[in-house]
Amino acid sequence: MLKPHQPNIIEYAYILGSIKGVDGANLSLYEVDQETENVKITLEGSDINFKDVEKAIQELGGSIHSIDLVATGQRLIEDVGTLMD
């Protein structure tokens, strides 16, 4: 996610973690420049609504760059290395 310096990642984490269906939110700051911050967000929950997450991020002035991993189903499958990695 790309976001302005304010609000900070603590506020983002609190708001994203408060969304219905989200059981946990983990935010990591990866890059900072003069106007923006690049943040990795990991959300976990049994019924996360992507539109609610996207709306919250946009309302806070951020934007989603990419979605790199999605897991769903009755059980989670552990990610393992392959020849493509």
Side-chain angles (χ1 to χ4, degrees), residues 34 40 66:
Q34 285 185 327
K40 176 183 175 184
S66 65

Side-chain angles (χ1 to χ4, degrees), residues 19-47:
I19 294 172
K20 182 180 177 183
V22 175
D23 295 330
N26 183 349
L27 280 69
S28 303
L29 181 63
Y30 276 88
E31 187 177 11
V32 177
D33 67 22
Q34 285 185 327
E35 298 178 15
T36 60
E37 298 175 353
N38 194 352
V39 177
K40 176 183 175 184
I41 298 173
T42 303
L43 301 177
E44 191 170 297
S46 59
D47 192 22

Side-chain angles (χ1 to χ4, degrees), residues 10 16 21 23-25 31 34 41 48 51 63 71 76 78:
I10 296 169
L16 294 175
D23 295 330
E31 187 177 11
Q34 285 185 327
I41 298 173
I48 299 172
K51 293 291 184 188
S63 62
L76 298 181
E78 184 177 335

Side-chain angles (χ1 to χ4, degrees), residues 1-9 12 35-37 39 61-63:
M1 169 189 71
L2 188 66
K3 67 176 250 356
H5 293 294
Q6 294 299 323
N8 63 37
I9 65 170
Y12 265 86
E35 298 178 15
T36 60
E37 298 175 353
V39 177
S63 62

